[in-house]
Amino acid sequence: MAAKRKRGALAAGKAKRARSAPSAGEAVPEGGPQERDIPPQEYSIPPPVSQGKWKNKERVLIFSSRGISFRTRHLMQDLRTLMPHSKADTKMDRKDQLFVINEVCEMKNCNKCIFFEAKKKQDLYMWLSNTPQGPSAKFLVQNVHTLAELKMTGNCLRGSRPLLSFDPIFDREPHYALLKELFIQIFSTPQYHPKSQPFVDHVFTFTVTDERIWFRNYQIIEEDASLVEIGPRFVLNLIKIFQGSFGGPTLYENPHYQSPNMHRRLVRLSVAAKFREKQQVKEVQKIKKKETKVLVEEDPTEVVFETPAEEKPVEIQFVKPESKPIVKDKKKLRKIQRKKQKKLFRTE
C-alpha cells in the first residue's frame, strides 16, 4: 500500500526549485547570481547577428497568375531567393480582377507586390506596385534567363544585401525617376532584416537600352570591384504607369511599345507579302511563255561589216571524170601521176 504524502511535501519540493531568471517585477539581489549559487550560463544571451533595429518594414509579395511557363516559375523562385524580405502566395485565378491583389497583400501584411501575369501561354507581363495607394507599373518581360539556365561561375551569399546600380537616364526623365524609386523600395533588402545577412556581395543593375530596362545581377568577387554575372537576367519593356495600385489614371504611356500581338501580325504580313511576290513572278513568267513571239524587223546596220565574196563563173563538166585507182602505196601513186602529166605535155 502506497504511503500517503504529507500535506507540506509538495510545497517543499516546489520551494527547492530555483527560478533561472528573475521576472520583470522582481529585483536582482546585490550579491548577483554567483552568490545565489545559480549558474551564470542561464543568464548569458547570445548577441544578435546584426547590431541594430529593423525599422524599414518593407515586405514584397511575389506570386503569379495561372498558366505561366516553367521558365517564369523558375524566375519567380530566383527572385524569392534573392530577396529575403519577400513572401509567396498561391497562384491567382485568371477570372479574378487585378484589384483583388490589394486585399491579398493586406492579408499577407505586404506593402509591395511583384505580380507575373501570363497571357496566351506565351506572353509574360510583370506588375510592380506599391499597395494599396500606388503607383504601379506594367511591363512586358522579354529574354528571360534563370539561375539554373545560365550556370555562371559566381555564387553570392544567400540573404546578403545587394547594391542597386542605375543608368544615368533614370535621373533625367521623370517617368524613369518614378520607376527608380519603385525599384529601390522593392528590390533593396531592408537594413537589419531578420532573414538578411550583414554583407554586401552582389549588385543589381538597371540599364536603359533600346527603350527597354535591362536587369542584370553581378557578384562582387574581389575588393577591386571585379564583377561576375550570376543571373537571373531579363528585359523589361515599359507599357504604362498608373497612379493607383493595379489601375487608376494613366501617368505615362510608352509611345515606343509594340504589343506582342501586333509584332506577330507584322511578321505574318511580311511572310505573306514575300509569298505573294513569288506567286506574281511565276504568273508573269507563265504569261510570257504563252505569248506569240513577235518577229523583229531586220536591222540595216547588221550588214555594215559584211564583205561579199567574189563571184566565180559556173563551170559545167560534160565528161565524166576518170575514176582514180586505189593504190595503197603512196610512192606508186606519185609515179602514176607523173606519167599522166608527161603524157599531157607530149600531146600539147
Side-chain angles (χ1 to χ4, degrees):
M1 187 174 176
K4 293 184 179 180
R5 293 181 181 178
K6 294 182 180 181
R7 186 174 295 178
L10 185 61
K14 285 185 178 180
K16 289 181 181 179
R17 295 179 187 176
R19 284 179 292 177
S20 60
S23 61
E26 294 178 8
V28 180
E30 297 178 358
Q34 293 181 357
E35 294 183 5
R36 294 173 59 193
D37 297 332
I38 298 174
Q41 290 83 3
E42 297 183 8
Y43 283 93
S44 61
I45 301 171
V49 177
S50 57
Q51 299 290 340
K53 190 177 180 181
W54 178 33
K55 297 180 180 179
N56 184 15
K57 301 294 182 72
E58 293 286 350
R59 298 182 183 89
V60 183
L61 180 65
I62 303 177
F63 72 118
S64 67
S65 64
R66 297 194 180 276
I68 61 173
S69 62
F70 69 97
R71 184 174 280 109
T72 307
R73 188 172 64 253
H74 291 177
L75 174 64
M76 190 168 56
Q77 191 62 35
D78 292 344
L79 290 178
R80 286 173 183 168
T81 54
L82 289 173
M83 301 163 62
H85 60 292
S86 63
K87 288 188 177 182
D89 194 27
T90 56
K91 295 179 181 178
M92 197 180 76
D93 197 359
R94 295 180 184 176
K95 296 180 182 178
D96 296 339
Q97 299 295 329
L98 291 178
F99 61 82
V100 179
I101 302 175
N102 296 325
E103 299 177 4
V104 178
C105 292
E106 187 178 355
M107 287 188 292
K108 288 285 181 177
N109 196 18
C110 296
N111 51 3
K112 299 289 185 297
C113 181
I114 299 178
F115 178 67
F116 292 94
E117 185 180 8
K119 290 186 179 179
K120 295 188 175 181
K121 296 184 179 180
Q122 54 184 341
D123 301 332
L124 178 63
Y125 297 92
M126 178 192 285
W127 285 84
L128 300 179
S129 176
N130 178 25
T131 58
Q133 291 87 11
S136 59
K138 185 179 181 182
F139 301 91
L140 173 67
V141 186
Q142 299 171 327
N143 303 334
V144 177
H145 298 280
T146 60
L147 277 170
E149 186 180 356
L150 288 174
K151 296 180 181 178
M152 299 289 186
T153 56
N155 184 19
C156 67
L157 182 67
R158 181 167 182 172
S160 60
R161 301 180 65 234
L163 293 174
L164 269 64
S165 172
F166 290 93
D167 196 278
I169 198 171
F170 279 93
D171 298 326
R172 301 173 195 160
E173 303 291 337
H175 60 281
Y176 281 131
L178 177 61
L179 291 178
K180 179 181 177 180
E181 186 63 30
L182 197 60
F183 288 146
I184 290 173
Q185 295 183 14
I186 290 177
F187 287 98
S188 62
T189 304
Q191 195 175 11
Y192 306 124
H193 191 277
K195 293 183 180 179
S196 67
Q197 299 292 337
F199 306 105
V200 177
D201 61 351
H202 63 289
V203 184
F204 290 162
T205 61
F206 298 89
T207 311
V208 178
T209 307
D210 193 22
E211 303 296 334
R212 291 170 174 82
I213 301 172
W214 300 63
F215 175 87
R216 294 290 184 271
N217 182 21
Y218 297 96
Q219 181 193 354
I220 307 171
I221 55 175
E222 292 181 8
E223 293 182 358
D224 58 347
S226 57
L227 303 177
V228 173
E229 186 177 358
I230 57 177
R233 59 162 71 167
F234 51 88
V235 179
L236 299 177
N237 191 358
L238 178 63
I239 302 174
K240 283 183 180 181
I241 300 176
F242 300 96
Q243 184 176 353
S245 178
F246 296 97
T250 304
L251 297 179
Y252 176 79
E253 185 174 359
N254 188 8
H256 307 283
Y257 171 71
Q258 187 182 60
S259 66
N261 294 331
M262 181 61 68
H263 178 70
R264 287 190 286 267
R265 180 174 176 272
L266 292 177
V267 170
R268 288 196 301 268
L269 288 176
S270 64
V271 173
K274 288 181 181 179
F275 179 75
R276 210 178 297 117
E277 188 178 353
K278 288 182 180 179
Q279 292 297 111
Q280 289 177 357
V281 170
K282 288 181 180 179
E283 290 177 0
V284 170
Q285 290 176 352
K286 287 181 182 179
I287 293 170
K288 284 183 178 180
K289 288 179 181 179
K290 291 180 181 179
E291 287 180 353
T292 56
K293 295 182 179 180
V294 180
L295 296 175
V296 184
E297 298 179 358
E298 294 183 359
D299 190 5
T301 58
E302 289 181 357
V303 204
V304 172
F305 299 101
E306 291 183 2
T307 55
E310 294 180 358
E311 296 182 1
K312 295 181 179 179
V314 181
E315 294 183 357
I316 300 172
Q317 194 174 10
F318 295 99
V319 183
K320 182 180 178 182
E322 296 180 359
S323 59
K324 295 180 180 179
I326 301 170
V327 182
K328 292 183 179 180
D329 195 358
K330 291 183 178 180
K331 291 182 179 179
K332 289 183 180 179
L333 181 61
R334 288 172 185 170
K335 286 180 181 179
I336 294 169
Q337 289 177 354
R338 286 173 188 171
K339 286 179 181 179
K340 286 183 180 181
Q341 287 177 359
K342 286 180 182 178
K343 285 181 183 180
L344 290 171
F345 284 119
R346 285 174 187 174
T347 53
E348 288 177 357

